[in-house]
Amino acid sequence: MATSQAGIFITFEGIEGCGKTTQSDMLYNYLIGQGYPAMFTREPGGTPVGEAVRKILADTKHKDMLPITETLLFSAARYQHVNQVIRPSLEEGMIIISDRFADATVAYQGFGRKVPMDLIRELNQVATWGVWPNLTVLLDIDPVLAFERLRGRLEQTSQDLDRIEQETVEFFRNVREGYLQLATDDPARIKTVEAAGDPDEVHQRILDLIRPHLRAYGRPQKINL
Ligand code: T5A
């Protein structure tokens, strides 16, 4: 990592409906409850520019968006996020939890949209500025179960599926394969967690992965922001 990092950078990945948002939130609350200086952020998003880009990417009006345009937009949002939020917060010693990061571009745009991997690697290098997570929790789930969860949420909130959520099950199978390949290629950083089951059980599995990082971090520190 190119930054003089004092904090910990944890990312959550997986296909839609795997429970990333639920589990990021549970981990954030756990860390805050234990007195750690934790923050939650997300991609695309995490900055005003990134949130504006997120709206464009989600908008079902943009069905004609080309795969490389999509890749560039995710990368642009990431560059802003790393430079405005992630890097400075890590230097201050924060524990950052991000709902998605650069692995998502490899899985979705690389394995899902078939954008050439060389281009994705190059863009990720620019966008991350060499800042990579200490730990990535990959919540693995069958796309059919994930879609049942999403349907449940849609019924509760009356929200529509966004542009990417409207993709086929086949697309999400490719994305899932991509994530599993990434975990095989980088087992020290990317830990696969079974996402089926009770949210509290999943949370416990994640805490088991986080504890060694917390031990290395030391006791909760007070950060002057
Ligand atoms: N994207 C993103 C790319 O294509 N490339 C990139 O580089 C990046 C960064 C936005 C989209 O952008 C794409 C991927 C996405 O399509 P997002 O905001 O992370 O990414 O959106 P989603 O993946 O769509 O996130 P969701 O909020 O839809 O899904 P989550 O976060 O996986 O799931 P969550 O926690 O919201 O849970 C979904 C439902 O399941 C229930 C929850 O209560 C909720 O109703 N649930 C469970 N039910 C039963 N058992 C459990 N254990 C459960 N956990 C959660």
Side-chain angles (χ1 to χ4, degrees):
M1 178 177 278
T3 181
S4 54
Q5 179 183 341
I8 312 175
F9 183 23
I10 301 165
T11 58
F12 279 82
E13 298 281 358
I15 61 169
E16 4 273 287
C18 68
K20 294 172 291 83
T21 310
T22 306
Q23 292 301 329
S24 309
D25 194 46
M26 288 172 91
L27 178 61
Y28 171 79
N29 286 322
Y30 169 84
L31 292 173
I32 292 292
Q34 296 291 313
Y36 288 100
M39 64 175 282
F40 171 79
T41 186
R42 68 176 183 176
E43 289 206 355
T47 65
V49 169
E51 292 296 330
V53 172
R54 183 185 181 92
K55 285 202 181 86
I56 298 171
L57 283 160
D59 196 330
T60 53
K61 277 202 308 278
H62 303 314
K63 286 207 168 41
D64 62 340
M65 189 182 292
L66 298 171
I68 291 181
T69 308
E70 187 180 278
T71 310
L72 290 166
L73 286 172
F74 280 117
S75 303
R78 180 162 307 125
Y79 185 81
Q80 190 78 15
H81 192 206
V82 168
N83 285 282
Q84 256 184 351
V85 176
I86 296 177
R87 198 180 167 100
S89 305
L90 282 176
E91 285 171 359
E92 279 165 359
M94 298 289 287
I95 301 181
I96 303 177
I97 301 166
S98 185
D99 189 340
R100 296 195 188 282
F101 191 61
D103 295 313
T105 309
V106 179
Y108 278 79
Q109 281 64 53
F111 284 82
R113 302 277 194 232
K114 314 293 183 201
V115 171
M117 284 298 174
D118 285 355
L119 176 61
I120 290 184
R121 267 194 288 273
E122 232 174 288
L123 288 171
N124 267 346
Q125 215 177 330
V126 173
T128 61
W129 247 36
V131 177
W132 279 86
N134 302 94
L135 171 69
T136 295
V137 178
L138 169 57
L139 289 170
D140 184 48
I141 192 166
D142 187 291
V144 175
L145 176 55
F147 271 86
E148 276 170 28
R149 286 186 183 177
L150 282 188
R151 267 195 295 275
R153 193 186 61 191
L154 291 184
E155 278 162 21
Q156 283 164 13
T157 61
S158 72
Q159 258 180 335
D160 285 330
L161 292 176
D162 69 28
R163 190 180 57 88
I164 297 178
E165 286 168 344
Q166 290 182 1
E167 279 296 336
T168 60
V169 172
E170 191 50 37
F171 174 83
F172 290 106
R173 285 198 202 291
N174 291 337
V175 174
R176 182 192 191 192
E177 283 312 309
Y179 272 129
L180 292 173
Q181 184 62 55
L182 281 171
T184 303
D185 294 347
D186 192 354
R189 173 174 67 86
I190 306 178
K191 304 291 182 192
T192 307
V193 171
E194 169 62 59
D198 181 75
D200 288 326
E201 278 171 29
V202 181
H203 177 59
Q204 288 306 320
R205 288 176 208 144
I206 292 168
L207 287 186
D208 290 343
L209 297 172
I210 304 290
R211 282 194 188 100
H213 292 271
L214 294 180
R215 276 196 291 276
Y217 178 83
R219 296 188 65 75
Q221 307 162 12
K222 186 156 171 35
I223 305 284
N224 295 320
L225 295 174

